[in-house]
Amino acid sequence: MAGQDPALSTSHPFYDVARHGILQVAGDDRFGRRVVTFSCCRMPPSHELDHQRLLEYLKYTLDQYVENDYTIVYFHYGLNSRNKPSLGWLQSAYKEFDRKYKNLKALYVVHPTSFIKVLWNILKPLISHKFGKKVIYFNYLSELHEHLKYDQLVIPPEVLRYDEKLQSLHEGRTPPPTKTPPPRPPLPTQQFGVSLQYLKDKNQGELIPPVLRFTVTYLREKGLRTEGLFRRSASVQTVREIQRLYNQGKPVNFDDYGDIHIPAVILKTFLRELPQPLLTFQAYEQILGITCVESSLRVTGCRQILRSLPEHNYVVLRYLMGFLHAVSRESIFNKMNSSNLACVFGLNLIWPSQGVSSLSALVPLNMFTELLIEYYEKIFSTPEAPGEHGLAPWEQGSRAAPLQEAVPRTQATGLTKPTLPPSPLMAARRRL
């Protein structure tokens, strides 16, 4: 089926809806907020799709990000009389958004038609002024470049062809292709968008990148008990200003900005802009296999995967995970346990070499990250001789039993969760 995620399992609690590929997670916007796309062209005729199930699936997907700021890109092309939901359904959807999903920061409507603008006027009396300010119309895909990382978007081919048609009709011709200027060499003091090796070479062999060390040190001293640490976004102008200062080799004093969330955003931005993810492209498929392992073997599996990392990546990862483990130990104050931190950092540590991670990949990626944080001392305690490439336990001789046979499924979502041994930290969480 067109648009279906090849990794989507038939055991997914919303497989009947998810298989159409209507919703996709598409990386982050320029503010570091998670992006979710909704493609109308992938909606089948109404008699083939339960719209109430679609709403439940939308809520199920957004529940993974409801505590963090996020953006929705709505591709309107393809909505027609055969597949559009009822007005009552739209009202129900809006009520859910306005009541629960208040961390929605922007709703980008691409290729709006007169129908959607008329509909908007009909619903306007019911829509709060605050929500209305979040809706932005884009007539062409090119307008998204300013707000999103365009190459990360999952755009259906039908939408791309429609956009090309609109462009050709505009001024009666197809606009000439823009020439991409050759990339400029990085500054000697460049900190963002350059490799770990480049940073090491330019910083007297120091393995921990300066931006990472500065932000972690500052947050350790002043932010460990900040509620919602790493969940908040920051002004894009402020982030760019700090990036510019760092790239020019100038000092940055976070006290000047008066917002503890700014160094947290800078840390995430640094990881996200590495040319290759900290966990490397090579480890991506191995990490996806973590859900096929018995819970008792997962810590060992994590250690085995980390053995394949270059030594430099391993050292930086150990430094970062040590800090995130310390953050999780203060979760009674900051509300950021290892699971919450994994939801924030998972896609900042690992992504595929081509395209973006699919919705179904989020479970293993976040699970792997959560294990690294929760079991930091066990996973990083003994030197693992990083750089020695080996197979993960589930890739050796006999495969481990599938996750669904080893771990009970949760009744609410149908998803599997790792059975982790109890710890004082987990007991403290239960008392919250």
Side-chain angles (χ1 to χ4, degrees), residues 194-364:
V194 292
S195 68
L196 294 178
Q197 184 61 48
Y198 184 89
L199 292 169
K200 176 185 173 183
D201 293 343
K202 298 296 181 182
N203 289 280
Q204 294 79 47
E206 173 62 44
L207 291 177
I208 306 301
V211 171
L212 183 60
R213 187 177 293 281
F214 293 154
T215 52
V216 165
T217 300
Y218 188 89
L219 292 169
R220 272 188 182 276
E221 293 176 356
K222 302 186 177 184
L224 284 185
R225 295 190 172 186
T226 300
E227 184 171 340
L229 188 65
F230 295 112
R231 281 180 177 163
R232 302 288 181 262
S233 58
S235 161
V236 68
Q237 291 83 2
T238 301
V239 172
R240 287 175 179 169
E241 176 191 340
I242 294 173
Q243 285 185 287
R244 178 179 55 78
L245 291 173
Y246 271 129
N247 286 339
Q248 293 176 352
K250 296 179 180 179
V252 173
N253 185 354
F254 289 116
D255 287 337
D256 294 342
Y257 298 92
D259 184 354
I260 194 65
H261 296 290
I262 287 177
V265 171
I266 293 295
L267 190 158
K268 292 188 294 182
T269 302
F270 171 79
L271 294 171
R272 195 164 53 246
E273 293 192 2
L274 286 172
Q276 182 173 189
L278 184 57
L279 284 167
T280 73
F281 293 131
Q282 291 75 18
Y284 185 79
E285 293 299 329
Q286 281 188 306
I287 292 172
L288 291 186
I290 195 72
T291 53
C292 298
V293 183
E294 293 182 38
S295 58
S296 61
L297 297 176
R298 287 188 185 137
V299 169
T300 302
C302 290
R303 288 163 62 96
Q304 188 71 43
I305 289 175
L306 297 190
R307 290 185 65 182
S308 68
L309 292 181
E311 182 179 3
H312 193 175
N313 293 62
Y314 180 87
V315 171
V316 174
L317 181 68
R318 181 176 60 191
Y319 178 81
L320 176 63
M321 290 300 115
F323 166 61
L324 295 182
H325 181 71
V327 173
S328 71
R329 289 175 65 88
E330 301 290 345
S331 63
I332 193 171
F333 301 103
N334 60 36
K335 314 302 182 192
M336 294 300 289
N337 57 26
S338 56
S339 176
N340 292 336
L341 288 168
C343 289
V344 173
F345 277 90
L347 290 179
N348 290 318
L349 296 175
I350 184 70
W351 56 85
S353 58
Q354 300 293 327
V356 296
S357 298
S358 63
L359 276 173
S360 59
L362 293 181
V363 174

Side-chain angles (χ1 to χ4, degrees), residues 117-129:
K117 293 178 179 178
V118 169
L119 181 63
W120 179 256
N121 287 328
I122 293 173
L123 294 176
K124 207 166 188 178
L126 307 174
I127 294 175
S128 68
H129 176 68

Side-chain angles (χ1 to χ4, degrees), residues 3-104:
Q4 180 173 330
D5 177 8
L8 182 67
S9 169
T10 54
S11 62
H12 190 288
F14 289 92
Y15 177 78
D16 57 318
V17 180
R19 65 195 182 95
H20 296 292
I22 300 167
L23 290 181
Q24 298 285 348
V25 173
D28 304 296
D29 65 10
R30 298 292 182 190
F31 299 85
R33 305 180 297 219
R34 188 68 72 236
V35 174
V36 178
T37 63
F38 187 105
S39 302
C40 289
C41 66
R42 289 182 173 168
M43 291 176 63
S46 297
H47 68 276
E48 296 178 14
L49 177 67
D50 184 336
H51 287 142
Q52 185 57 37
R53 287 277 292 167
L54 174 61
L55 180 57
E56 291 171 4
Y57 175 49
L58 179 60
K59 290 158 58 178
Y60 166 82
T61 302
L62 294 181
D63 278 342
Q64 300 176 59
Y65 311 106
V66 67
E67 294 180 341
N68 302 305
D69 296 341
Y70 64 96
T71 295
I72 292 181
V73 179
Y74 168 79
F75 296 116
H76 182 64
Y77 174 74
L79 190 71
N80 54 53
S81 58
R82 297 177 65 239
N83 66 1
K84 67 182 179 185
S86 67
L87 185 60
W89 185 90
L90 292 172
Q91 289 176 317
S92 299
Y94 165 70
K95 288 177 182 177
E96 289 289 343
F97 272 90
D98 198 43
R99 178 181 62 84
K100 183 178 180 182
Y101 301 102
K102 296 185 182 295
N103 279 341
L104 172 66

